[in-house]
Amino acid sequence: MLRRKIYDALISWKKTSNGATAVMIDGARRVGKSFIAEEFARAEYKSYILIDFGKAPKDILELFENDSSDLDLFFAKLAAYYSTALYKRESLIIFDEVQQYPRARQLIKYLVADGRFDYLETGSLIRLKKNVQDIIIPSEEEHIEMFPLDFEEFLWAMGDEATYPLIQRCFETKTQLGAALHRKIMNDFRQYILVGGMPQAVLAYLDGKNFEAADIAKRRILKLYRDDVAKFAKGYEDKVFAVFDEIPGQLSKKEKKYQLSSLGKQARFRTFEDSFAWLNEAMVVNTCFNATDPNIGLALSSDHATQKCYMADTGLLVTHTFRDKKFTDNELYRAILFDKLNVNEGMLMENVVAQMLRFHRERLYFYSRSDSLNRENHMEIDFLITEGKKVAPVEVKSGNYRSHSSLDKFRKHFTSTVGNSYILYTKDVMVKDGIIHLPLYMAELL
């Protein structure tokens, strides 16, 4: 069993809500939503019923259609069908994969008002227009996003609960961990990059530290994603496939902005806008927007037509990059494990930073400015984050980088706006020339 942080968030919801709201766990497919929902229900309630709308029988759907206006009868039939007694304020009803039956989601308003039981929903693609166009979204619904395992959760899965508190302490004090410990953590972090945080892949890997078993699990997940595209993006599925399949190629370039010309000479953003949105709403990718006027209101100047498209799970990116080859041909595993990355393979480092920054942020931003007439105005900053009333530029570098000219120019041009400046790289903590250098595994703490 994998220990997940979202469990504590569900405990907090139960205590503070006390039946006044339902909770929706929103996340990509196979991220562990159903498992954590049932684990929570089993441990924290006297009884529970889980309705999986991905395969709900006709009798249950008819119950929602015909009997939801009489809640006494509705609950009596529900309890009888699932052979489960329901107890006032001590039972949880789970609507699993609720996006497949939006009517149940709309009913949440009345179920919460009734007050007898608690309600937990899980869903993927829940914000897509086709999944909400015929219903009124209940205001009584709280949302919790669920992501792949973060690095701390990965360490827990590896049986290590001692290391991450030390990482946090060294981050807060900006002190080095020391060569031996840093080397050990980077070794674990490289495993995290390769395996990723999808629960099925992690569990497969832990059974003998088998990268090939993890790769097989990830291939199944990627196939499931493709099946979802074919099912839920009808009418423009070819465009979604085209955008998705091109992600590794785009990230392998020096400048990782998504170049639509790779999809065709006449490709325009408006033609593919729905495809990018689909992947983002499905939480398959982490979209990063260009903030053209870097200040604390980054969203105000975001250019949606200029974006970077990262995979939401770096382990899936490793497998997706070599999707047409056998596992034994995947050079990324060897390159990462033995610290032999070339420039193109450095895309994994930037992708995992995007993944870690996204855990605590609704959106990601970067800064890009081109000026062929004056190179002094040409800048590329990998990520921008806000810290209080200041903007902090974040650059991802290899361990042996020689310069950070864009970062220097950015700090000079936006002196009044910039607070801390960060470089994330493969070496230990260091503060030099006013720039905070942090090991990659600290990215989530920013």
Side-chain angles (χ1 to χ4, degrees):
M1 187 177 72
L2 298 173
R3 178 182 166 196
R4 304 299 304 272
K5 294 178 182 177
I6 194 174
Y7 193 97
D8 292 336
L10 292 174
I11 293 288
S12 176
W13 161 76
K14 183 186 179 189
K15 289 180 179 178
T16 57
S17 170
N18 195 29
T21 61
V23 66
M24 165 74 80
I25 302 177
D26 181 12
R29 296 259 267 157
R30 291 294 186 267
V31 82
K33 302 184 300 296
S34 302
F35 178 85
I36 201 70
E38 194 161 13
E39 183 184 60
F40 171 68
R42 191 180 295 115
E44 306 299 333
Y45 289 86
K46 189 172 181 179
S47 72
Y48 72 95
I49 289 174
L50 187 149
I51 306 170
D52 182 355
F53 287 106
K55 54 183 179 183
K58 185 179 179 182
D59 289 345
I60 290 298
L61 299 184
E62 288 180 347
L63 180 61
F64 279 85
E65 289 287 341
N66 303 322
D67 296 316
S68 59
S69 59
D70 182 347
L71 290 182
D72 292 334
L73 180 62
F74 176 82
F75 290 130
K77 286 188 173 183
L78 198 63
Y81 187 89
Y82 286 97
S83 302
T84 300
L86 292 171
Y87 304 93
K88 188 172 182 179
R89 302 303 318 133
E90 294 185 275
S91 294
L92 178 70
I93 298 176
I94 302 170
F95 292 172
D96 197 26
E97 299 293 348
V98 73
Q99 80 280 356
Q100 303 223 32
Y101 193 68
R103 182 181 176 86
R105 189 179 177 193
Q106 180 168 275
L107 190 60
I108 284 292
K109 176 181 178 68
Y110 306 100
L111 295 174
V112 167
D114 174 73
R116 267 175 269 193
F117 313 115
D118 283 354
Y119 301 90
L120 188 157
E121 305 163 274
T122 78
S124 307
L125 305 165
I126 61 168
R127 287 167 289 198
L128 290 182
K129 185 177 180 181
K130 66 170 292 185
N131 289 335
V132 297
Q133 62 185 2
D134 296 324
I135 67 168
I136 298 172
I137 304 300
S139 59
E140 296 79 6
E141 195 179 75
E142 293 186 38
H143 280 242
I144 301 177
E145 288 187 317
M146 189 171 187
F147 300 99
L149 276 75
D150 66 19
F151 183 49
E152 184 176 14
E153 291 172 322
F154 184 78
L155 290 177
W156 292 344
M158 299 264 282
D160 179 358
E161 299 198 10
T163 297
Y164 208 81
L166 178 60
I167 293 173
Q168 289 178 304
R169 191 153 60 246
C170 290
F171 169 80
E172 290 166 1
T173 58
K174 303 300 181 286
T175 55
Q176 294 196 338
L177 290 96
L181 184 56
H182 171 70
R183 190 181 308 112
K184 184 262 182 190
I185 298 173
M186 277 304 301
N187 185 52
D188 290 338
F189 190 67
R190 289 188 178 96
Q191 294 174 67
Y192 174 62
I193 289 172
L194 292 171
V195 175
M198 302 304 282
Q200 290 176 342
V202 173
L203 291 171
Y205 175 67
L206 292 178
D207 187 13
K209 291 201 171 180
N210 190 331
F211 284 112
E212 185 168 12
D215 196 72
I216 291 170
K218 289 185 288 179
R219 286 176 186 267
R220 292 197 199 103
I221 294 170
L222 288 170
K223 183 183 183 301
L224 177 67
Y225 287 175
R226 300 185 79 85
D227 291 344
D228 281 348
V229 171
K231 183 177 180 180
F232 297 111
K234 287 184 178 178
Y236 60 102
E237 62 267 37
D238 289 346
K239 290 185 174 66
V240 178
F241 284 135
V243 171
F244 184 60
D245 289 341
E246 184 61 24
I247 289 174
Q250 295 288 333
L251 293 179
S252 68
K253 298 172 182 175
K254 184 178 179 181
E255 292 187 3
K256 294 172 174 56
K257 295 189 296 291
Y258 204 108
Q259 300 294 328
L260 289 171
S261 57
S262 64
L263 304 176
K265 291 183 179 179
Q266 303 302 317
R268 297 291 182 271
F269 179 73
R270 63 178 178 273
T271 307
F272 287 89
E273 186 172 7
D274 288 344
S275 302
F276 284 103
W278 194 96
L279 291 167
N280 192 57
E281 295 296 344
M283 297 179 74
V284 171
V285 303
N286 289 323
T287 306
C288 188
F289 299 102
N290 185 20
T292 57
D293 180 19
N295 56 62
I296 57 172
L298 295 173
L300 298 175
S301 66
S302 62
D303 176 10
H304 285 221
T306 307
Q307 58 183 258
K308 296 189 285 188
C309 199
Y310 300 101
M311 290 281 286
D313 181 74
T314 308
L316 288 180
L317 174 61
V318 172
T319 298
H320 186 41
T321 301
F322 283 78
R323 63 186 178 277
D324 297 324
K325 296 182 180 180
K326 297 178 181 178
F327 166 77
T328 51
D329 296 326
N330 195 332
E331 299 101 353
L332 288 177
Y333 284 89
R334 291 185 291 277
I336 285 284
L337 283 174
F338 293 98
D339 196 16
K340 301 293 184 183
L341 283 178
N342 63 36
V343 173
N344 289 345
E345 290 161 346
M347 67 180 182
L348 298 180
M349 299 305 185
E350 192 167 322
N351 196 94
V352 78
V353 169
Q355 179 179 340
M356 296 170 85
L357 291 177
R358 176 66 177 86
F359 289 146
H360 304 298
R361 292 168 177 81
E362 186 175 343
R363 285 191 175 182
L364 300 178
Y365 298 96
F366 70 103
Y367 181 76
S368 177
R369 180 179 179 181
S370 298
D371 190 338
S372 57
L373 299 178
N374 186 355
R375 291 293 299 175
E376 184 63 23
N377 292 328
H378 184 87
M379 286 175 270
E380 289 283 337
I381 302 296
D382 296 328
F383 300 101
L384 297 179
I385 61 174
T386 55
E387 294 181 332
K389 296 182 179 181
K390 296 288 185 178
V391 171
V394 180
E395 286 274 72
V396 182
K397 299 286 188 181
S398 66
N400 297 314
Y401 78 94
R402 291 191 178 92
S403 66
H404 38 73
S405 58
S406 280
L407 186 56
D408 292 337
K409 286 188 283 187
F410 186 87
R411 296 172 71 203
K412 180 180 177 181
H413 276 70
F414 302 104
T415 304
S416 62
T417 302
V418 173
N420 291 323
S421 297
Y422 297 99
I423 286 178
L424 297 171
Y425 68 155
T426 57
K427 294 185 178 181
D428 207 340
V429 176
M430 176 179 70
V431 179
K432 182 180 179 181
D433 300 328
I435 298 172
I436 302 169
H437 296 64
L438 300 173
L440 288 158
Y441 50 77
M442 289 185 178
E444 187 184 335
L445 298 172
L446 290 177

